[in-house]
Amino acid sequence: MKKQIALNIALFLGLVLGSGLSASAIDIYGEELSINVDFTYASKYMWHGFDTFDNDGAFHPSVEFGYKDFYAGVWGAWPDTSGFEDLTEIDFYLGYDHAFFEEEWYSLSVGVVYTYFSFPKLNSQIDGQEIGLSFTFDQLLPIGPSVLVPSYTVYYEWDGIQSEEAIDNGFYHTFALGYDVPIPALLPEQEEQAISLMADVTYGDGPYDTASGFLYATVGASTTFEWNNFYLTPAVYYQFSFDDSVNDEDDLYTLISIGYSF
């Protein structure tokens, strides 16, 4: 498995470095079109509380384009071991984020994102759709050297356009807190760095044949190293599972992401 991870990282770096693209964003009518290419390895693929590949890891390549407050991208999930190939996933998403009252203590960021989940090896049998609406109070609770950031996101799940299996439509509600602890930058070229702490809890009303109630909670920490438009982000998370209809055990998992932004 380690050889496969190393090979995929090497291919990713080769793609970025060999693309010949400038490190600068593309200018369109005076506004920048940003592009971010990312490759993430997760020791477990956790999605809305589900351990999708049953304790096995996943590769998550993605590319995202941003223009003004809009963004769109493609994201994938490939299992790192045999047995789950049929659940290979390619998702397409389109979103919009906007910050209101940016200079005020009640600054509010609002986002909406639509995602289409496709499973090419299952010939669209279980395709799904999701729309999420988020509210984040960026400056609400200054504490110590940083700000405690509360947020709320509601997701609605329903069948894919060509899905042959009907899913139980429904909502997830996630309540979260985030806090960045400033630390000295560990790379000379990096101006600032922080350890990002998070905690959330999710309530569901029964999508995907799950129970209604509080389903799981997550705590985690991450930090990002930046160098010449490249970044490396290691992260660790722990999920507390409250209901067997989602997950019958708690899960510790890690992620490591490498990417390039221009």
Side-chain angles (χ1 to χ4, degrees):
M1 184 180 73
K2 292 181 179 179
K3 290 183 178 179
Q4 183 64 40
I5 295 173
L7 176 60
N8 280 275
I9 291 175
L11 290 173
F12 167 81
L13 292 173
L15 174 64
V16 173
L17 293 173
S19 64
L21 291 169
S22 168
S24 302
I26 299 171
D27 185 89
I28 300 178
Y29 297 112
E31 298 285 346
E32 290 185 343
L33 172 68
S34 63
I35 305 173
N36 185 79
V37 182
D38 182 278
F39 182 89
T40 295
Y41 175 75
S43 64
K44 297 180 183 181
Y45 173 21
M46 308 299 295
W47 182 81
H48 285 312
F50 293 100
D51 183 359
T52 309
F53 294 153
D54 193 21
N55 289 323
D56 287 329
F59 302 104
H60 298 302
S62 66
V63 59
E64 180 176 294
F65 302 87
Y67 184 70
K68 295 185 177 180
D69 290 336
F70 293 92
Y71 61 94
V74 181
W75 181 93
W78 276 263
D80 68 355
T81 56
S82 60
F84 294 95
E85 294 89 348
D86 286 349
L87 292 179
T88 296
E89 180 180 344
I90 301 177
D91 301 342
F92 306 89
Y93 61 91
L94 174 66
Y96 176 83
D97 282 322
H98 187 74
F100 299 91
F101 320 115
E102 292 184 77
E103 304 301 322
E104 306 295 338
W105 64 268
Y106 47 83
S107 171
L108 173 65
S109 294
V110 179
V112 60
V113 58
Y114 165 80
T115 305
Y116 191 92
F117 307 104
S118 69
F119 299 86
K121 294 190 177 182
L122 292 177
N123 296 319
S124 302
Q125 292 177 28
I126 60 170
D127 283 9
Q129 300 179 77
E130 173 185 274
I131 190 163
L133 177 64
S134 64
F135 302 89
T136 303
F137 294 92
D138 306 286
Q139 305 293 334
L140 187 62
L141 300 169
I143 298 176
S146 190
V147 178
L148 184 65
V149 179
S151 65
Y152 164 69
T153 305
V154 56
Y155 305 91
Y156 182 69
E157 316 290 327
W158 75 100
D159 297 337
I161 297 171
Q162 302 181 62
S163 181
E164 297 178 8
E165 294 186 19
I167 68 170
D168 295 320
N169 298 356
F171 290 91
Y172 291 108
H173 305 266
T174 298
F175 306 88
L177 292 172
Y179 188 81
D180 288 345
V181 180
I183 61 173
L186 300 178
L187 296 178
E189 298 84 358
Q190 190 167 338
E191 294 183 2
E192 57 185 24
Q193 191 169 359
I195 297 176
S196 298
L197 306 176
M198 62 79 63
D200 66 26
V201 62
T202 293
Y203 179 95
D205 69 355
Y208 297 100
D209 198 28
T210 59
S212 293
F214 284 99
L215 302 177
Y216 64 95
T218 309
V219 295
S222 64
T223 192
T224 298
F225 302 90
E226 299 174 346
W227 178 77
N228 284 356
N229 294 88
F230 282 96
Y231 63 85
L232 170 70
T233 303
V236 60
Y237 298 95
Y238 192 87
Q239 176 178 298
F240 302 90
S241 301
F242 303 148
D243 193 279
D244 289 353
S245 65
V246 176
N247 199 332
D248 60 3
E249 62 182 2
D250 298 340
D251 284 285
L252 174 68
Y253 59 102
T254 59
L255 283 76
I256 186 164
S257 303
I258 60 172
Y260 186 79
S261 298
F262 49 91

